[in-house]
Amino acid sequence: IGITNQRETTIVWDKLTGKPLHNAVVWLDTRTTVTVDKLVDKTPTKKADYLQKKCGLPISTYFSAVKLRWLIDNCEDVRKAIDEDRCMFGTVDCWLIWNLTGGPNGGRHYTDVSNASRTMLMNIATQEWDPELCEFLGVPQSVLPEIKSSSEIYGYMSEGPMKGIPLSGCLGDQQAALVGQCCLQKGLAKNTYGTGCFLLYNTGNELIFSEHGLLTTVAYKMGADQPTYFALEGSVAIGGAVIRWLRDNLGIIKDAADSEDLAREVVDSGDVYFVPAFSGLFAPYWRQDARGVIVGLTQYTNKCHLARAAIEAVCFQTRELLEAMNNDSGIPLKTLRVDGGMTANKLMLQIQSNLLGIPVVRAPMAETTALGAAAAAGAAKGIEVWNLEAMKEAPGEEYLPSIPIEDSNILFGRWKMAVQKSLNWVDKSPSE
């Protein structure tokens, strides 16, 4: 069995009863904004990137340690459980492994390096919990799971029809997609279009720290005695979620697939730009003071232009990530491999290729995260039914640029103007 999971989402539970001590705090949750402000103010530089050389990540609402710090500060049950040595912390993979291997009756409190690298608590160079990071963030090491590789036998199913089957693979969802897309060599990259957008670039065994707003993360470690592979990651909070917003909040479509039909009714967005900064902006800006804006509206604008602007927003954000990645790596990507639910939208893929000026290749299997988790589980020592070295990328559907790059650059310049309009919207409240 292989596990792949929403990465930064944070769960705390009682190790004696197995009951959660609070609702999960999901990766997009912004209730920790005040916690982030306090932590940044505590740094000597007063900058969010103060810890980045140690953990690969900026201080942001996105990552697990900040969510755990919020829980400690705001939940009496969590504080009491920590005082009584009953509290366990983990991301979703950790919660699943613990429960599936026995829970309160001998469950394994493990996570893998790819998930641990998203907490802000793991030293990215040593792949161990870092006492200085834990102290700075006010997190007791007693609540943390043991860090394992992404491919080894963690334990066995404790009950049910699959009792005795080994759990032998664990990867955060975006790292699993990287494996599923066969990006197993330095210089290969993929972009997953789900709720958010996540562009990962395999940097091999080399740690590269971004100068352009990207994250340094563990890609995978396929066995306890195998080398660790790293990646640069560009994370966008709102990708496919913007289409859901059109459906659920505006009611202009009945299901996600309708957005493509609606957008095809117009030849362009009518110079309308939609910056969906519903939870602030992630890479490359890392601005939690940003909020969503739609600019360029005229009497001519209709729902078709809004649908097209929403689709283009996902593509513009991906171009932002790709430019940052090309600048950090020094080697421009020649092709972008893509996957995820939103890649069913053919118009989006064509717009993406146009805006990037390079071919976009859609994976034949959209849900490559599951494939990556299966590969990690099957390749584990003692299982060995999957040969990672023999994995080859299956031919996918290719989309080629159909407009001059000069036209793309003009559109991208307009997008950057729209982004500036979204910034400085949320003020710090002195009362908070």
Side-chain angles (χ1 to χ4, degrees):
I1 294 172
I3 290 173
T4 183
N5 59 290
Q6 221 178 57
R7 296 173 299 177
E8 297 79 10
T9 295
T10 294
I11 304 170
V12 285
W13 67 96
D14 188 318
K15 69 181 178 184
L16 302 180
T17 66
K19 302 284 187 189
L21 296 165
H22 194 277
N23 292 340
V25 183
V26 302
W27 65 280
L28 269 177
D29 199 304
T30 57
R31 77 183 78 180
T32 56
T33 299
V34 175
T35 305
V36 167
D37 291 340
K38 287 177 180 173
L39 289 168
V40 172
D41 285 344
K42 186 175 156 185
T43 67
T45 59
K46 310 294 186 201
K47 289 185 178 176
D49 64 0
Y50 176 68
L51 304 175
Q52 200 148 351
K53 284 290 196 283
K54 184 163 271 203
C55 65
L57 313 171
I59 302 170
S60 165
T61 59
Y62 185 17
F63 305 111
S64 308
V66 174
K67 301 176 194 300
L68 178 55
R69 181 67 252 167
W70 184 92
L71 287 164
I72 293 169
D73 290 340
N74 293 277
C75 181
E76 176 62 33
D77 288 345
V78 174
R79 288 196 298 274
K80 189 175 180 192
I82 289 172
D83 290 341
E84 296 173 2
D85 196 27
R86 292 183 287 110
C87 182
M88 284 184 159
F89 152 82
T91 41
V92 177
D93 60 302
C94 183
W95 165 249
L96 289 173
I97 291 171
W98 187 78
N99 277 289
L100 294 175
T101 57
N105 302 308
R108 309 292 189 195
H109 191 207
Y110 295 156
T111 189
D112 93 297
V113 282
S114 72
N115 281 291
S117 72
R118 313 297 297 189
T119 61
M120 288 183 60
L121 298 169
M122 189 187 85
N123 185 307
I124 193 79
T126 65
Q127 290 112 65
E128 295 175 350
W129 300 125
D130 189 284
E132 290 181 7
L133 289 171
C134 291
E135 183 180 355
F136 178 84
L137 290 150
V139 170
Q141 283 188 253
S142 60
V143 306
L144 303 179
E146 185 178 342
I147 301 172
K148 295 285 192 177
S149 76
S150 311
S151 180
E152 62 180 277
I153 296 174
Y154 311 114
Y156 298 84
M157 291 288 289
S158 62
E159 56 185 61
M162 292 191 287
K163 183 177 180 179
I165 291 178
L167 276 75
S168 54
C170 181
L171 284 162
D173 53 3
Q174 303 312 321
Q175 287 93 333
L178 191 75
V179 174
Q181 282 270 40
C182 301
C183 296
L184 299 173
Q185 294 175 345
K186 182 176 181 178
L188 296 179
K190 67 87 203 175
N191 195 33
T192 298
Y193 300 79
T195 302
C197 268
F198 302 90
L199 181 58
L200 268 73
Y201 178 98
N202 189 329
T203 63
N205 307 129
E206 183 184 3
L207 268 174
I208 295 177
F209 292 98
S210 176
E211 301 294 330
H212 300 91
L214 303 179
L215 311 174
T216 303
T217 195
V218 170
Y220 51 83
K221 179 180 169 69
M222 292 302 186
D225 57 352
Q226 295 300 306
T228 301
Y229 280 73
F230 299 97
L232 283 171
E233 176 174 326
S235 311
V236 165
I238 303 296
V242 72
I243 305 301
R244 193 164 65 235
W245 186 83
L246 294 180
R247 182 193 68 195
D248 297 345
N249 295 46
L250 292 193
I252 64 173
I253 55 173
K254 287 188 176 173
D255 63 57
D258 295 340
S259 64
E260 180 174 1
D261 296 334
L262 201 59
R264 283 188 184 277
E265 291 183 29
V266 289
V267 295
D268 55 38
S269 68
D271 204 32
V272 171
Y273 292 83
F274 186 171
V275 182
F278 302 151
S279 305
L281 288 171
F282 284 8
Y285 297 98
W286 299 107
R287 292 289 294 267
Q288 59 194 44
D289 63 337
R291 285 298 178 268
V293 296
I294 300 173
V295 297
L297 296 174
T298 66
Q299 286 183 306
Y300 165 72
T301 305
N302 62 37
K303 62 184 180 180
C304 302
H305 296 110
L306 286 181
R308 194 168 183 114
I311 291 169
E312 289 180 353
V314 178
C315 301
F316 281 125
Q317 290 181 102
T318 297
R319 174 157 171 178
E320 298 246 39
L321 300 181
L322 193 70
E323 290 208 340
M325 210 154 273
N326 287 342
N327 287 332
D328 277 327
S329 69
I331 307 168
L333 270 186
K334 294 191 171 126
T335 302
L336 182 64
R337 303 181 190 186
V338 301
D339 59 78
M342 201 178 173
T343 58
N345 188 321
K346 294 186 175 184
L347 176 63
M348 186 274 287
L349 294 176
Q350 185 58 58
I351 292 170
Q352 187 67 89
S353 179
N354 289 347
L355 289 176
L356 297 180
I358 60 173
V360 168
V361 180
R362 178 171 63 182
M365 178 182 179
E367 300 301 335
T368 54
T369 50
L371 181 59
K381 190 174 182 179
I383 308 292
E384 296 161 89
V385 296
W386 199 300
N387 184 353
L388 291 170
E389 292 180 4
M391 277 181 77
K392 288 187 174 61
E393 181 192 11
E397 190 174 1
E398 187 175 59
Y399 292 79
L400 300 173
S402 61
I403 65 173
I405 193 64
E406 292 79 14
D407 292 355
S408 299
N409 292 341
I410 291 168
L411 295 170
F412 188 54
R414 301 283 284 169
W415 159 263
K416 300 277 268 188
M417 287 170 59
V419 168
Q420 292 304 309
K421 306 289 185 191
S422 76
L423 304 178
N424 299 307
W425 192 257
V426 180
D427 291 326
K428 286 187 189 180
S429 169
S431 64
E432 292 178 327

